[in-house]
Amino acid sequence: TQSTWGGTVLCLHLLREFDNMSRRLLQIAASAGAAGSAALFAFKMYRDSNAEDVDRFPEVGKNTVYPDREEQIEKMKTETFDFLVIGGGATGAGVALDVASRGLSCALVEAADFSAGTSSRSTKLIHGGVRYLETAFKKLDYGQYELVDEALHERSHMMRSAPFMAHALPLMIPIYTWWEIPYMYAGVKLYDFIAGNKAHGLPPAHYVQKDVALQQFPMLKAEGLKGAIVYYDGQMNDSRMNLHLI
């Protein structure tokens, strides 16, 4: 009889604990449901409040009708603009964008086609300038260092804001004398260090053996080759970037 009572008490205790656990689980589920409903309601309110802005600024290229050349020429004849930019290359497009971003009216004219000249024939590199960094330390020229730092900042901005037309580009420096290996390696590592968080996912510079360098570039002169230093910069589509600015 004593063991029966003990078993009964144990069962009742387990049932009570199970009931308490069930209640806690229900409370947690209710709290989670309430939080989810509140988040959904807040998102709906935010979406509805911004619906007017979305309608006011439709997606470019979607049901957008652009005026033809004749219409634009007539508009330039009858309207007054704050700025007139001559040339639709990289510099002209950048100036026009800067003017428009300040709320000023701007007209841009181009004799041929946008980025038809030098702006579509660049190296397409987005780089800080390793050789400028070398000059900065050799001649103790702080201006050259600032130039490298600013260019690395611009490289980071372009690769972050336009990943659809900018990507990492590996660059290889073949080494034919042993003393150049630590010299070049230290230089590109310093380049990576200055980039810091502006590297934007670019792989770090590294040294590769002679056979790896020849495998990647079979046309390299094999005689006397000690290895190679590989570092990374960015590359972009210059003419496409120009058109996006316009």
Side-chain angles (χ1 to χ4, degrees):
T1 305
Q2 187 175 2
S3 61
T4 303
W5 275 105
T8 304
V9 171
L10 177 61
C11 289
L12 290 174
H13 177 72
L14 291 175
L15 287 173
R16 185 166 57 250
E17 288 297 323
F18 179 76
D19 181 65
N20 292 335
M21 185 182 296
S22 300
R23 290 175 182 273
R24 285 195 293 271
L25 289 174
L26 287 173
Q27 290 174 352
I28 293 172
S31 299
S37 299
L40 184 62
F41 176 75
F43 173 75
K44 185 178 183 303
M45 292 292 292
Y46 172 81
R47 184 188 61 188
D48 293 343
S49 64
N50 287 276
E52 183 180 350
D53 291 337
V54 172
D55 292 337
R56 191 166 65 248
F57 301 105
E59 182 182 351
V60 175
K62 183 178 180 181
N63 301 325
T64 304
V65 178
Y66 297 98
D68 58 27
R69 184 178 180 85
E70 287 71 22
E71 290 181 44
Q72 296 185 57
I73 292 175
E74 285 299 320
K75 184 177 181 180
M76 293 180 64
K77 290 179 180 179
T78 57
E79 294 187 18
T80 301
F81 296 88
D82 297 316
F83 279 83
L84 172 64
V85 179
I86 301 175
T91 303
V95 170
L97 176 64
D98 187 80
V99 169
S101 67
R102 299 172 190 272
L104 301 172
S105 60
C106 178
L108 184 147
V109 294
E110 166 60 46
D113 199 354
F114 299 123
S115 67
T118 307
S119 298
S120 60
R121 301 185 182 113
S122 70
T123 61
K124 298 172 175 54
L125 286 176
I126 322 169
H127 65 104
V130 172
R131 64 189 179 94
Y132 301 135
L133 182 62
E134 182 183 29
T135 303
F137 280 87
K138 277 186 174 181
K139 298 184 178 180
L140 299 178
D141 189 338
Y142 188 70
Q144 292 287 317
Y145 172 81
E146 287 185 316
L147 176 65
V148 173
D149 187 61
E150 181 183 5
L152 288 172
H153 178 80
E154 294 298 326
R155 183 188 72 177
S156 172
H157 173 72
M158 180 170 289
M159 296 194 70
R160 183 179 64 254
S161 60
F164 53 89
M165 60 175 175
H167 58 87
L169 178 71
L171 300 167
M172 180 180 287
I173 307 173
I175 305 295
Y176 288 92
T177 54
W178 286 113
W179 68 266
E180 286 185 319
I181 294 177
Y183 178 78
M184 293 293 185
Y185 184 78
V188 294
K189 278 299 183 182
L190 181 61
Y191 188 63
D192 287 347
F193 176 77
I194 295 173
N197 58 4
K198 298 188 291 291
H200 193 65
L202 293 179
H206 58 277
Y207 168 78
V208 296
Q209 299 286 343
K210 173 182 177 179
D211 55 345
V212 177
L214 289 173
Q215 181 184 19
Q216 296 295 324
F217 293 93
M219 299 300 291
L220 280 177
K221 179 184 175 183
E223 183 181 357
L225 183 65
K226 310 302 181 185
I229 303 295
V230 179
Y231 73 100
Y232 291 81
D233 258 322
Q235 189 174 42
M236 54 82 181
N237 187 325
D238 51 5
S239 56
R240 187 180 181 190
M241 180 196 70
N242 195 95
L243 291 174
H244 272 76
L245 291 180
I246 295 174

